[in-house]
Amino acid sequence: MPEKTPAKPNELFVTVDVVLLTLKEGRLLTALVRRTREPRLGEWTLPGGFVHPADDADALSAANRILLAKAGLRSPYLEQLYTFADAERDSRGWSVSISYYALVPIDAVEKSVNENLKWVPVDDISQLPFDHMRILQMAVSRVRSKTLYSSLPVHLMPPRFTLTDLQKVYEALLGSTLDKRTFRRRIEELDIVEEITGAVAEGAAHRPAQLYRRRRKKQLAVADSNLGVKS
Amino acid sequence: MPEKTPAKPNELFVTVDVVLLTLKEGRLLTALVRRTREPRLGEWTLPGGFVHPADDADALSAANRILLAKAGLRSPYLEQLYTFADAERDSRGWSVSISYYALVPIDAVEKSVNENLKWVPVDDISQLPFDHMRILQMAVSRVRSKTLYSSLPVHLMPPRFTLTDLQKVYEALLGSTLDKRTFRRRIEELDIVEEITGAVAEGAAHRPAQLYRRRRKKQLAVADSNLGVKS
DNA sequence: TTAATAGTGTCTGTCAGACACTATGTG
DNA sequence: CACATAGTGTCTGACAGACACTATTAA
Protein backbone atom coordinates (compact mmCIF):
# COMPACT_ATOMS: atom_id res chain seq x y z
CA MET A 1 0.00 0.00 0.00
CA PRO A 2 1.50 3.28 -1.07
CA GLU A 3 2.32 5.88 1.48
CA LYS A 4 -0.01 8.77 1.77
CA THR A 5 0.98 11.62 -0.53
CA PRO A 6 2.80 14.09 1.65
CA ALA A 7 0.99 17.37 2.12
CA LYS A 8 2.58 20.28 0.31
CA PRO A 9 4.78 22.17 2.73
CA ASN A 10 3.25 25.25 4.18
CA GLU A 11 6.42 27.25 3.95
CA LEU A 12 7.65 30.15 1.93
CA PHE A 13 10.52 32.60 1.80
CA VAL A 14 10.81 36.28 0.99
CA THR A 15 13.45 37.94 -1.13
CA VAL A 16 14.14 41.36 -2.60
CA ASP A 17 15.39 41.69 -6.17
CA VAL A 18 16.66 44.92 -7.68
CA VAL A 19 16.75 45.93 -11.31
CA LEU A 20 19.62 48.38 -11.43
CA LEU A 21 19.61 50.52 -14.57
CA THR A 22 21.92 53.03 -16.15
CA LEU A 23 22.39 54.57 -19.57
CA LYS A 24 25.64 54.53 -21.51
CA GLU A 25 26.13 55.78 -25.03
CA GLY A 26 22.42 55.75 -25.66
CA ARG A 27 21.94 52.19 -24.44
CA LEU A 28 20.05 51.07 -21.37
CA LEU A 29 22.20 48.74 -19.24
CA THR A 30 21.32 46.57 -16.26
CA ALA A 31 23.58 45.10 -13.59
CA LEU A 32 23.86 41.33 -13.35
CA VAL A 33 25.66 39.49 -10.55
CA ARG A 34 27.07 36.00 -10.47
CA ARG A 35 25.35 33.60 -8.10
CA THR A 36 27.60 32.29 -5.36
CA ARG A 37 25.30 29.52 -4.13
CA GLU A 38 23.03 26.81 -5.36
CA PRO A 39 20.68 26.77 -7.11
CA ARG A 40 21.98 28.25 -10.35
CA LEU A 41 25.48 28.56 -8.91
CA GLY A 42 27.67 30.65 -11.19
CA GLU A 43 24.86 31.98 -13.36
CA TRP A 44 24.20 35.69 -13.89
CA THR A 45 21.03 37.05 -12.25
CA LEU A 46 19.54 40.27 -11.00
CA PRO A 47 21.04 41.34 -7.66
CA GLY A 48 18.85 40.02 -4.87
CA GLY A 49 18.79 38.37 -1.51
CA PHE A 50 16.70 37.22 1.38
CA VAL A 51 14.91 39.68 3.60
CA HIS A 52 16.55 39.60 7.02
CA PRO A 53 13.88 40.47 9.57
CA ALA A 54 16.51 40.82 12.26
CA ASP A 55 18.50 43.41 10.29
CA ASP A 56 16.11 45.10 7.88
CA ALA A 57 13.62 47.65 9.17
CA ASP A 58 11.54 47.30 6.03
CA ALA A 59 11.67 46.05 2.45
CA LEU A 60 13.23 49.27 1.16
CA SER A 61 16.03 48.93 3.70
CA ALA A 62 16.60 45.40 2.53
CA ALA A 63 16.82 46.64 -1.06
CA ASN A 64 19.36 49.27 -0.04
CA ARG A 65 21.38 46.72 1.91
CA ILE A 66 21.47 44.39 -1.07
CA LEU A 67 22.43 47.19 -3.42
CA LEU A 68 25.30 48.17 -1.17
CA ALA A 69 26.49 44.62 -0.65
CA LYS A 70 26.32 43.52 -4.26
CA ALA A 71 27.09 46.71 -6.17
CA GLY A 72 28.67 49.00 -3.60
CA LEU A 73 26.05 51.68 -4.27
CA ARG A 74 24.16 53.89 -1.86
CA SER A 75 20.67 55.32 -2.11
CA PRO A 76 20.11 56.05 -5.77
CA TYR A 77 16.60 56.54 -7.05
CA LEU A 78 14.96 53.37 -5.76
CA GLU A 79 11.30 52.49 -6.17
CA GLN A 80 9.14 49.43 -5.66
CA LEU A 81 8.22 47.74 -8.93
CA TYR A 82 5.99 44.77 -8.25
CA THR A 83 5.79 41.68 -6.07
CA PHE A 84 6.14 38.30 -7.71
CA ALA A 85 4.87 35.50 -5.52
CA ASP A 86 4.09 31.95 -6.51
CA ALA A 87 5.05 28.32 -6.11
CA GLU A 88 6.98 27.98 -9.36
CA ARG A 89 9.34 30.90 -9.72
CA ASP A 90 12.11 29.42 -7.58
CA SER A 91 13.00 25.74 -7.39
CA ARG A 92 13.44 25.96 -3.63
CA GLY A 93 9.72 26.39 -3.10
CA TRP A 94 6.94 28.95 -2.70
CA SER A 95 8.67 32.32 -2.79
CA VAL A 96 7.99 36.02 -2.72
CA SER A 97 10.14 38.54 -4.57
CA ILE A 98 9.50 42.15 -3.66
CA SER A 99 11.19 43.75 -6.61
CA TYR A 100 12.59 47.26 -6.95
CA TYR A 101 14.16 49.25 -9.70
CA ALA A 102 16.93 51.78 -9.32
CA LEU A 103 18.41 54.37 -11.64
CA VAL A 104 22.00 55.54 -11.39
CA PRO A 105 24.14 57.79 -13.57
CA ILE A 106 26.80 55.95 -15.51
CA ASP A 107 29.67 57.85 -13.91
CA ALA A 108 28.68 56.60 -10.45
CA VAL A 109 28.63 53.05 -11.60
CA GLU A 110 31.64 52.12 -13.65
CA LYS A 111 33.71 51.34 -10.59
CA SER A 112 31.20 48.73 -9.40
CA VAL A 113 32.34 46.30 -12.07
CA ASN A 114 34.28 43.24 -10.93
CA GLU A 115 34.35 39.56 -11.71
CA ASN A 116 31.01 39.06 -9.99
CA LEU A 117 29.19 42.09 -11.41
CA LYS A 118 28.76 43.18 -15.01
CA TRP A 119 26.63 45.70 -16.89
CA VAL A 120 24.77 44.37 -19.90
CA PRO A 121 22.59 46.18 -22.48
CA VAL A 122 19.05 45.12 -21.68
CA ASP A 123 18.31 44.56 -25.36
CA ASP A 124 21.05 41.91 -25.48
CA ILE A 125 19.50 39.84 -22.69
CA SER A 126 17.18 37.13 -23.90
CA GLN A 127 16.98 34.93 -20.85
CA LEU A 128 17.75 34.94 -17.15
CA PRO A 129 17.36 32.39 -14.36
CA PHE A 130 14.21 32.12 -12.26
CA ASP A 131 11.61 34.65 -13.41
CA HIS A 132 14.16 37.44 -13.60
CA MET A 133 13.55 38.02 -17.29
CA ARG A 134 9.99 38.97 -16.50
CA ILE A 135 11.09 41.26 -13.68
CA LEU A 136 13.61 42.96 -15.94
CA GLN A 137 11.04 43.44 -18.68
CA MET A 138 8.58 45.01 -16.29
CA ALA A 139 11.24 47.38 -14.96
CA VAL A 140 12.27 48.49 -18.44
CA SER A 141 8.69 48.94 -19.46
CA ARG A 142 7.98 50.98 -16.34
CA VAL A 143 10.95 53.25 -16.88
CA ARG A 144 10.08 53.82 -20.52
CA SER A 145 6.46 54.60 -19.82
CA LYS A 146 7.29 56.96 -16.98
CA THR A 147 9.81 58.81 -19.10
CA LEU A 148 7.27 60.88 -20.99
CA TYR A 149 5.57 62.57 -18.10
CA SER A 150 7.93 62.47 -15.16
CA SER A 151 11.26 63.62 -13.91
CA LEU A 152 12.55 60.06 -13.69
CA PRO A 153 15.23 60.32 -16.40
CA VAL A 154 17.10 63.07 -14.55
CA HIS A 155 18.24 60.39 -12.13
CA LEU A 156 20.36 58.97 -14.92
CA MET A 157 22.26 62.23 -15.28
CA PRO A 158 25.61 63.14 -13.75
CA PRO A 159 25.70 66.08 -11.30
CA ARG A 160 26.12 68.67 -14.07
CA PHE A 161 24.68 68.35 -17.54
CA THR A 162 23.36 70.41 -20.44
CA LEU A 163 19.80 70.34 -21.74
CA THR A 164 21.06 68.70 -24.90
CA ASP A 165 22.57 65.91 -22.79
CA LEU A 166 19.25 65.49 -21.04
CA GLN A 167 17.37 65.41 -24.31
CA LYS A 168 19.63 62.64 -25.57
CA VAL A 169 18.80 60.56 -22.50
CA TYR A 170 15.08 61.01 -23.09
CA GLU A 171 15.56 60.08 -26.72
CA ALA A 172 17.50 56.96 -25.81
CA LEU A 173 14.78 55.83 -23.40
CA LEU A 174 11.97 56.55 -25.82
CA GLY A 175 13.73 55.28 -28.90
CA SER A 176 12.80 58.31 -30.97
CA THR A 177 14.01 61.83 -31.59
CA LEU A 178 12.41 64.85 -29.94
CA ASP A 179 11.95 68.41 -31.06
CA LYS A 180 14.29 70.74 -29.20
CA ARG A 181 11.78 73.53 -28.64
CA THR A 182 9.06 71.21 -27.40
CA PHE A 183 11.46 69.34 -25.16
CA ARG A 184 12.74 72.47 -23.49
CA ARG A 185 9.26 73.85 -22.96
CA ARG A 186 8.26 70.67 -21.19
CA ILE A 187 11.34 70.44 -19.04
CA GLU A 188 10.79 74.01 -17.94
CA GLU A 189 7.16 73.29 -17.08
CA LEU A 190 8.08 70.17 -15.13
CA ASP A 191 10.52 72.31 -13.16
CA ILE A 192 12.86 69.38 -12.53
CA VAL A 193 16.21 71.01 -13.23
CA GLU A 194 17.82 74.30 -12.34
CA GLU A 195 20.58 76.40 -13.87
CA ILE A 196 23.98 76.31 -12.25
CA THR A 197 24.55 80.02 -12.23
CA GLY A 198 27.46 81.01 -14.38
CA ALA A 199 28.54 77.49 -15.22
CA VAL A 200 28.80 76.53 -18.86
CA ALA A 201 30.14 73.55 -20.76
CA GLU A 202 33.68 74.01 -21.99
CA GLY A 203 35.94 72.80 -24.76
CA ALA A 204 33.59 72.73 -27.72
CA ALA A 205 34.17 74.74 -30.86
CA HIS A 206 30.83 76.51 -30.64
CA ARG A 207 28.64 78.43 -28.27
CA PRO A 208 28.97 76.86 -24.80
CA ALA A 209 25.86 75.37 -23.23
CA GLN A 210 24.39 76.32 -19.87
CA LEU A 211 24.92 73.62 -17.24
CA TYR A 212 22.03 72.37 -15.12
CA ARG A 213 21.58 70.17 -12.10
CA ARG A 214 18.69 68.12 -10.80
CA ARG A 215 16.34 70.16 -8.63
CA ARG A 216 15.92 68.78 -5.11
CA LYS A 217 12.67 67.41 -3.80
CA LYS A 218 10.48 68.14 -6.75
CA GLN A 219 7.94 65.60 -7.81
CA LEU A 220 6.44 64.85 -11.15
CA ALA A 221 3.57 66.80 -12.56
CA VAL A 222 1.41 64.31 -14.39
CA ALA A 223 0.40 65.58 -17.78
CA ASP A 224 -3.29 65.89 -17.23
CA SER A 225 -5.61 65.64 -20.08
CA ASN A 226 -8.80 65.71 -18.19
CA LEU A 227 -11.95 64.70 -19.95
CA GLY A 228 -13.27 68.22 -19.67
CA VAL A 229 -13.19 68.84 -15.95
CA LYS A 230 -15.14 71.93 -15.14
CA SER A 231 -14.35 74.35 -12.34
CA MET B 1 25.14 39.11 35.10
CA PRO B 2 22.27 39.86 32.81
CA GLU B 3 21.36 37.41 30.18
CA LYS B 4 22.50 38.20 26.71
CA THR B 5 19.93 40.22 24.84
CA PRO B 6 18.06 37.73 22.71
CA ALA B 7 18.69 38.16 19.00
CA LYS B 8 15.72 39.50 17.11
CA PRO B 9 13.85 36.59 15.62
CA ASN B 10 14.63 35.93 12.00
CA GLU B 11 11.04 35.17 11.13
CA LEU B 12 8.35 36.82 9.13
CA PHE B 13 4.92 36.09 7.73
CA VAL B 14 3.16 36.92 4.49
CA THR B 15 -0.41 38.10 4.09
CA VAL B 16 -2.64 39.41 1.33
CA ASP B 17 -4.95 42.37 1.97
CA VAL B 18 -7.66 43.50 -0.42
CA VAL B 19 -9.20 46.94 -0.74
CA LEU B 20 -12.63 46.19 -2.15
CA LEU B 21 -14.30 49.24 -3.64
CA THR B 22 -17.69 50.07 -5.03
CA LEU B 23 -19.67 53.19 -5.79
CA LYS B 24 -23.14 53.90 -4.44
CA GLU B 25 -25.08 57.11 -4.90
CA GLY B 26 -21.96 58.97 -5.90
CA ARG B 27 -19.96 57.82 -2.90
CA LEU B 28 -16.97 55.51 -2.92
CA LEU B 29 -17.41 52.66 -0.43
CA THR B 30 -15.00 50.06 0.85
CA ALA B 31 -15.68 46.70 2.50
CA LEU B 32 -14.57 46.17 6.09
CA VAL B 33 -14.67 42.86 7.90
CA ARG B 34 -14.70 42.12 11.59
CA ARG B 35 -11.61 40.36 12.92
CA THR B 36 -12.32 36.95 14.38
CA ARG B 37 -8.95 36.46 16.10
CA GLU B 38 -6.38 38.25 18.16
CA PRO B 39 -4.83 40.68 17.75
CA ARG B 40 -7.49 43.34 17.29
CA LEU B 41 -10.26 40.82 17.81
CA GLY B 42 -13.61 42.31 16.90
CA GLU B 43 -12.23 45.39 15.16
CA TRP B 44 -13.07 46.29 11.55
CA THR B 45 -10.25 45.92 9.05
CA LEU B 46 -9.64 45.39 5.37
CA PRO B 47 -10.31 41.82 4.29
CA GLY B 48 -7.08 39.87 4.39
CA GLY B 49 -5.41 36.65 5.38
CA PHE B 50 -2.28 34.59 5.35
CA VAL B 51 -0.87 33.25 2.14
CA HIS B 52 -1.25 29.46 2.16
CA PRO B 53 1.61 28.03 0.12
CA ALA B 54 -0.03 24.63 0.13
CA ASP B 55 -3.27 25.93 -1.36
CA ASP B 56 -2.48 29.09 -3.29
CA ALA B 57 -0.74 28.86 -6.64
CA ASP B 58 0.28 32.50 -6.44
CA ALA B 59 -0.51 35.75 -4.66
CA LEU B 60 -3.38 36.60 -6.98
CA SER B 61 -4.99 33.24 -6.22
CA ALA B 62 -4.65 33.98 -2.55
CA ALA B 63 -6.37 37.33 -3.06
CA ASN B 64 -9.20 35.64 -4.92
CA ARG B 65 -9.53 32.99 -2.22
CA ILE B 66 -9.71 35.64 0.48
CA LEU B 67 -12.25 37.65 -1.49
CA LEU B 68 -14.45 34.61 -1.89
CA ALA B 69 -14.13 33.53 1.73
CA LYS B 70 -14.71 36.93 3.29
CA ALA B 71 -17.07 38.62 0.86
CA GLY B 72 -18.47 35.79 -1.23
CA LEU B 73 -17.28 37.43 -4.44
CA ARG B 74 -15.61 35.95 -7.48
CA SER B 75 -13.06 37.45 -9.84
CA PRO B 76 -13.96 41.10 -10.10
CA TYR B 77 -11.39 43.53 -11.42
CA LEU B 78 -8.45 42.73 -9.16
CA GLU B 79 -5.04 44.31 -9.39
CA GLN B 80 -1.92 44.39 -7.26
CA LEU B 81 -1.50 47.70 -5.44
CA TYR B 82 1.71 47.68 -3.42
CA THR B 83 3.61 45.55 -0.94
CA PHE B 84 3.95 46.80 2.59
CA ALA B 85 6.70 45.02 4.47
CA ASP B 86 8.32 46.05 7.72
CA ALA B 87 8.83 45.16 11.35
CA GLU B 88 6.24 47.53 12.80
CA ARG B 89 3.06 47.19 10.83
CA ASP B 90 1.75 44.17 12.72
CA SER B 91 2.27 43.50 16.43
CA ARG B 92 2.95 39.84 15.73
CA GLY B 93 6.28 40.64 14.09
CA TRP B 94 7.96 41.34 10.78
CA SER B 95 5.26 41.01 8.17
CA VAL B 96 4.61 41.36 4.48
CA SER B 97 1.27 42.49 3.08
CA ILE B 98 0.89 42.03 -0.65
CA SER B 99 -2.07 44.31 -1.16
CA TYR B 100 -4.62 44.33 -3.96
CA TYR B 101 -7.54 46.46 -4.90
CA ALA B 102 -10.74 45.29 -6.50
CA LEU B 103 -13.67 47.10 -8.10
CA VAL B 104 -17.18 45.71 -8.12
CA PRO B 105 -20.51 47.12 -9.23
CA ILE B 106 -22.84 47.94 -6.39
CA ASP B 107 -25.57 45.54 -7.56
CA ALA B 108 -23.17 42.58 -7.25
CA VAL B 109 -22.28 43.50 -3.73
CA GLU B 110 -25.27 44.35 -1.61
CA LYS B 111 -25.91 40.72 -0.75
CA SER B 112 -22.41 40.34 0.74
CA VAL B 113 -23.41 42.34 3.80
CA ASN B 114 -23.73 40.44 7.07
CA GLU B 115 -22.79 40.97 10.68
CA ASN B 116 -19.11 40.47 9.83
CA LEU B 117 -18.96 42.57 6.68
CA LYS B 118 -20.03 46.15 6.11
CA TRP B 119 -19.60 48.78 3.40
CA VAL B 120 -18.41 52.18 4.56
CA PRO B 121 -17.88 55.43 2.63
CA VAL B 122 -14.13 55.84 2.41
CA ASP B 123 -14.41 59.51 3.31
CA ASP B 124 -15.96 58.57 6.64
CA ILE B 125 -13.02 56.36 7.65
CA SER B 126 -10.40 58.16 9.68
CA GLN B 127 -8.54 55.26 11.19
CA LEU B 128 -8.11 51.53 10.83
CA PRO B 129 -6.03 48.90 12.65
CA PHE B 130 -2.49 47.99 11.59
CA ASP B 131 -1.39 50.08 8.60
CA HIS B 132 -4.68 49.52 6.80
CA MET B 133 -5.47 53.23 6.64
CA ARG B 134 -2.40 53.76 4.56
CA ILE B 135 -3.30 50.85 2.29
CA LEU B 136 -6.81 52.19 1.83
CA GLN B 137 -5.52 55.67 1.03
CA MET B 138 -3.15 54.35 -1.56
CA ALA B 139 -5.92 52.31 -3.19
CA VAL B 140 -8.27 55.28 -3.36
CA SER B 141 -5.55 57.49 -4.72
CA ARG B 142 -4.67 54.89 -7.33
CA VAL B 143 -8.26 54.51 -8.47
CA ARG B 144 -8.81 58.26 -8.69
CA SER B 145 -5.64 58.88 -10.64
CA LYS B 146 -6.31 56.04 -13.05
CA THR B 147 -9.82 57.27 -13.68
CA LEU B 148 -8.84 60.00 -16.12
CA TYR B 149 -7.01 57.95 -18.65
CA SER B 150 -8.17 54.38 -18.30
CA SER B 151 -11.16 52.13 -18.56
CA LEU B 152 -11.04 51.33 -14.87
CA PRO B 153 -14.34 52.98 -13.86
CA VAL B 154 -16.36 50.73 -16.17
CA HIS B 155 -15.74 47.93 -13.69
CA LEU B 156 -17.97 49.77 -11.26
CA MET B 157 -20.89 49.61 -13.69
CA PRO B 158 -23.70 47.06 -13.76
CA PRO B 159 -24.03 44.88 -16.87
CA ARG B 160 -26.13 47.47 -18.72
CA PHE B 161 -25.82 51.19 -18.33
CA THR B 162 -26.24 54.46 -20.19
CA LEU B 163 -23.46 56.89 -21.01
CA THR B 164 -25.00 59.36 -18.58
CA ASP B 165 -24.72 56.72 -15.84
CA LEU B 166 -21.09 56.19 -16.75
CA GLN B 167 -20.40 59.92 -16.74
CA LYS B 168 -21.84 60.19 -13.24
CA VAL B 169 -19.44 57.50 -12.04
CA TYR B 170 -16.47 59.34 -13.51
CA GLU B 171 -17.71 62.55 -11.91
CA ALA B 172 -18.06 60.88 -8.53
CA LEU B 173 -14.53 59.49 -8.69
CA LEU B 174 -13.00 62.75 -9.85
CA GLY B 175 -15.08 64.98 -7.63
CA SER B 176 -15.94 67.38 -10.44
CA THR B 177 -18.42 67.73 -13.26
CA LEU B 178 -17.53 66.89 -16.85
CA ASP B 179 -18.70 68.26 -20.16
CA LYS B 180 -21.00 65.82 -21.90
CA ARG B 181 -19.55 66.27 -25.38
CA THR B 182 -15.95 65.92 -24.25
CA PHE B 183 -16.76 62.92 -22.11
CA ARG B 184 -18.48 61.04 -24.92
CA ARG B 185 -15.70 61.80 -27.34
CA ARG B 186 -13.16 60.35 -24.95
CA ILE B 187 -15.15 57.25 -24.13
CA GLU B 188 -15.54 56.57 -27.82
CA GLU B 189 -11.80 56.96 -28.40
CA LEU B 190 -10.97 54.68 -25.49
CA ASP B 191 -13.25 52.10 -27.06
CA ILE B 192 -14.14 50.57 -23.73
CA VAL B 193 -17.88 50.17 -24.11
CA GLU B 194 -20.18 48.92 -26.84
CA GLU B 195 -23.80 49.54 -27.71
CA ILE B 196 -26.30 46.87 -26.84
CA THR B 197 -28.10 46.83 -30.17
CA GLY B 198 -31.65 47.92 -29.84
CA ALA B 199 -31.66 48.15 -26.05
CA VAL B 200 -32.70 51.42 -24.50
CA ALA B 201 -33.45 52.58 -20.98
CA GLU B 202 -37.13 52.53 -20.13
CA GLY B 203 -39.56 54.25 -17.89
CA ALA B 204 -38.37 57.83 -17.99
CA ALA B 205 -40.52 60.72 -19.17
CA HIS B 206 -38.13 61.72 -21.91
CA ARG B 207 -36.11 60.35 -24.79
CA PRO B 208 -34.79 56.93 -23.78
CA ALA B 209 -31.02 56.46 -23.61
CA GLN B 210 -29.02 53.86 -25.49
CA LEU B 211 -27.75 51.07 -23.24
CA TYR B 212 -24.11 50.02 -23.28
CA ARG B 213 -22.03 47.22 -21.85
CA ARG B 214 -18.37 46.88 -21.02
CA ARG B 215 -16.31 45.74 -23.98
CA ARG B 216 -14.40 42.52 -23.38
CA LYS B 217 -10.63 42.34 -23.26
CA LYS B 218 -9.84 45.90 -24.11
CA GLN B 219 -7.12 47.62 -22.22
CA LEU B 220 -6.47 51.23 -21.44
CA ALA B 221 -5.01 53.62 -23.94
CA VAL B 222 -2.77 55.96 -22.03
CA ALA B 223 -3.33 59.55 -22.98
CA ASP B 224 -0.03 60.34 -24.53
CA SER B 225 1.23 63.81 -24.59
CA ASN B 226 4.62 63.08 -25.93
CA LEU B 227 7.26 65.76 -25.67
CA GLY B 228 7.34 66.12 -29.40
CA VAL B 229 8.15 62.63 -30.58
CA LYS B 230 9.08 62.68 -34.21
CA SER B 231 8.52 59.97 -36.79
C1' DT C 1 -47.64 70.84 -26.49
C1' DT C 2 -44.52 70.83 -22.66
C1' DA C 3 -40.90 69.01 -20.07
C1' DA C 4 -36.95 66.55 -19.62
C1' DT C 5 -33.04 64.20 -20.91
C1' DA C 6 -30.42 61.99 -25.11
C1' DG C 7 -27.42 62.88 -28.38
C1' DT C 8 -24.81 65.90 -32.08
C1' DG C 9 -22.76 70.07 -34.71
C1' DT C 10 -19.59 73.25 -34.44
C1' DC C 11 -16.90 77.45 -32.77
C1' DT C 12 -12.77 78.87 -30.42
C1' DG C 13 -8.72 79.33 -27.50
C1' DT C 14 -4.81 76.80 -26.41
C1' DC C 15 -0.82 74.45 -27.18
C1' DA C 16 2.35 70.67 -29.09
C1' DG C 17 4.98 70.20 -32.96
C1' DA C 18 7.66 72.24 -36.49
C1' DC C 19 11.14 74.95 -38.02
C1' DA C 20 13.52 79.09 -38.97
C1' DC C 21 16.11 82.39 -36.95
C1' DT C 22 19.44 84.62 -33.77
C1' DA C 23 23.39 84.03 -30.26
C1' DT C 24 27.96 82.87 -29.07
C1' DG C 25 31.71 80.23 -28.67
C1' DT C 26 36.38 78.06 -31.27
C1' DG C 27 39.80 77.97 -34.71
C1' DC D 1 35.51 84.87 -41.34
C1' DA D 2 33.31 79.97 -41.29
C1' DC D 3 31.29 76.60 -38.64
C1' DA D 4 28.85 74.26 -35.09
C1' DT D 5 25.82 73.92 -31.57
C1' DA D 6 22.98 76.81 -27.98
C1' DG D 7 18.98 78.87 -27.36
C1' DT D 8 14.51 81.60 -28.87
C1' DG D 9 10.44 83.48 -31.75
C1' DT D 10 6.60 82.28 -33.82
C1' DC D 11 3.31 79.92 -37.20
C1' DT D 12 -0.14 76.40 -37.60
C1' DG D 13 -3.00 72.29 -37.32
C1' DA D 14 -5.36 69.57 -34.01
C1' DC D 15 -8.24 69.16 -30.46
C1' DA D 16 -10.33 69.84 -25.60
C1' DG D 17 -13.72 72.53 -23.74
C1' DA D 18 -17.86 75.01 -24.25
C1' DC D 19 -22.33 75.41 -25.52
C1' DA D 20 -26.17 75.62 -28.44
C1' DC D 21 -29.01 73.00 -31.11
C1' DT D 22 -31.82 68.92 -32.63
C1' DA D 23 -34.08 64.26 -31.33
C1' DT D 24 -37.25 61.55 -28.92
C1' DT D 25 -39.86 59.91 -25.45
C1' DA D 26 -43.93 60.34 -21.59
C1' DA D 27 -47.57 62.71 -19.86
Side-chain angles (χ1 to χ4, degrees):
Chain A
M1 189 165 154
E3 287 187 13
K4 179 182 170 185
T5 303
K8 292 183 190 172
N10 205 22
E11 290 172 12
L12 52 76
F13 59 93
V14 179
T15 64
V16 165
D17 291 303
V18 181
V19 180
L20 189 48
L21 297 170
T22 192
L23 199 62
K24 183 182 183 181
E25 293 160 12
R27 302 241 280 169
L28 194 60
L29 311 183
T30 194
L32 296 180
V33 298
R34 199 194 296 274
R35 282 192 60 79
T36 57
R37 303 183 188 186
E38 290 291 354
R40 307 282 194 157
L41 175 64
E43 293 184 40
W44 295 95
T45 70
L46 297 175
F50 289 94
V51 168
H52 294 161
D55 304 324
D56 302 322
D58 53 34
L60 181 62
S61 303
N64 273 309
R65 172 177 57 75
I66 286 162
L67 219 41
L68 187 58
K70 305 241 172 179
L73 292 171
R74 279 183 189 283
S75 57
Y77 177 86
L78 187 57
E79 189 168 294
Q80 191 176 307
L81 174 65
Y82 195 76
T83 296
F84 300 85
D86 65 52
E88 306 298 331
R89 52 180 302 280
D90 189 306
S91 59
R92 288 166 286 184
W94 219 104
S95 66
V96 176
S97 164
I98 308 173
S99 58
Y100 285 77
Y101 67 101
L103 300 182
V104 280
I106 185 65
D107 59 293
V109 121
E110 306 245 66
K111 56 179 166 290
S112 66
V113 175
N114 60 52
E115 62 172 12
N116 290 316
L117 187 148
K118 65 177 179 181
W119 289 88
V120 184
V122 296
D123 294 334
D124 292 351
I125 301 173
S126 60
Q127 58 174 356
L128 287 172
F130 310 115
D131 59 351
H132 287 191
M133 195 65 205
R134 194 171 154 217
I135 299 176
L136 174 61
Q137 285 167 340
M138 188 181 286
V140 170
S141 163
R142 177 79 59 92
V143 168
R144 295 213 158 115
S145 73
K146 274 202 158 190
T147 291
L148 273 175
Y149 57 88
S150 86
S151 65
L152 182 145
V154 302
H155 297 278
L156 291 168
M157 305 306 292
R160 294 147 55 96
F161 53 88
T162 69
L163 292 181
T164 300
D165 294 338
L166 184 60
Q167 182 173 343
K168 283 177 180 160
V169 167
Y170 273 80
E171 288 175 342
L173 290 171
L174 295 170
S176 57
T177 61
L178 302 174
D179 178 80
K180 181 165 61 170
R181 197 70 178 85
T182 310
F183 178 77
R184 288 173 181 229
R185 243 186 334 232
R186 188 69 57 88
I187 294 301
E188 188 172 17
E189 279 162 18
L190 289 175
D191 197 32
I192 57 182
V193 300
E194 60 189 10
E195 279 190 24
I196 304 175
T197 311
V200 291
E202 293 173 3
H206 53 76
R207 175 174 174 178
Q210 174 64 47
L211 288 173
Y212 287 79
R213 62 173 158 246
R214 181 159 50 87
R215 195 185 284 284
R216 308 284 167 194
K217 295 283 179 195
K218 276 283 178 178
Q219 266 313 20
L220 81 175
V222 173
D224 80 89
S225 89
N226 58 9
L227 283 163
V229 176
K230 289 182 184 172
S231 79
Chain B
M1 190 165 153
E3 287 187 11
K4 179 182 170 185
T5 303
K8 292 182 190 172
N10 205 23
E11 289 172 14
L12 80 184
F13 59 93
V14 179
T15 64
V16 165
D17 292 303
V18 181
V19 180
L20 190 47
L21 297 169
T22 193
L23 199 61
K24 184 181 184 181
E25 294 160 11
R27 302 241 280 168
L28 193 60
L29 311 183
T30 193
L32 297 179
V33 299
R34 198 193 298 272
R35 281 192 60 79
T36 56
R37 302 183 190 186
E38 291 291 352
R40 307 284 195 156
L41 176 65
E43 293 184 41
W44 295 95
T45 69
L46 297 175
F50 290 95
V51 168
H52 295 160
D55 304 324
D56 302 322
D58 53 33
L60 182 61
S61 303
N64 273 310
R65 173 178 56 75
I66 286 162
L67 218 42
L68 187 58
K70 305 240 172 179
L73 292 170
R74 279 182 189 281
S75 59
Y77 178 88
L78 186 59
E79 188 169 295
Q80 191 177 307
L81 174 65
Y82 196 76
T83 295
F84 300 85
D86 65 52
E88 307 297 332
R89 52 180 301 281
D90 188 305
S91 59
R92 288 165 287 183
W94 219 104
S95 67
V96 175
S97 164
I98 308 173
S99 57
Y100 286 77
Y101 67 101
L103 300 181
V104 281
I106 185 65
D107 60 293
V109 122
E110 306 245 67
K111 57 179 165 289
S112 66
V113 175
N114 61 53
E115 62 172 11
N116 290 316
L117 187 148
K118 65 177 179 181
W119 290 88
V120 183
V122 296
D123 294 335
D124 292 351
I125 301 173
S126 59
Q127 56 174 2
L128 287 172
F130 310 114
D131 59 351
H132 286 191
M133 195 65 204
R134 194 171 156 218
I135 299 175
L136 174 62
Q137 285 168 340
M138 188 181 285
V140 170
S141 162
R142 177 78 59 92
V143 168
R144 294 213 158 114
S145 73
K146 273 202 160 192
T147 292
L148 273 176
Y149 57 87
S150 85
S151 64
L152 183 145
V154 302
H155 297 279
L156 291 168
M157 305 306 294
R160 293 147 55 96
F161 53 87
T162 68
L163 292 182
T164 300
D165 295 339
L166 184 60
Q167 182 172 343
K168 283 177 181 160
V169 167
Y170 273 79
E171 289 174 341
L173 289 171
L174 294 170
S176 57
T177 60
L178 302 174
D179 179 80
K180 181 164 61 167
R181 198 72 179 85
T182 309
F183 178 76
R184 288 175 180 229
R185 247 191 325 236
R186 187 70 55 89
I187 293 301
E188 188 171 17
E189 281 162 17
L190 288 176
D191 196 32
I192 57 182
V193 300
E194 60 189 10
E195 278 190 26
I196 303 175
T197 312
V200 292
E202 291 172 4
H206 54 74
R207 175 175 175 177
Q210 174 64 48
L211 289 171
Y212 288 79
R213 62 173 158 245
R214 180 159 51 85
R215 194 186 284 284
R216 308 284 167 194
K217 294 285 180 192
K218 275 283 179 179
Q219 267 313 19
L220 80 173
V222 173
D224 80 89
S225 86
N226 58 8
L227 284 162
V229 176
K230 288 183 185 172
S231 81

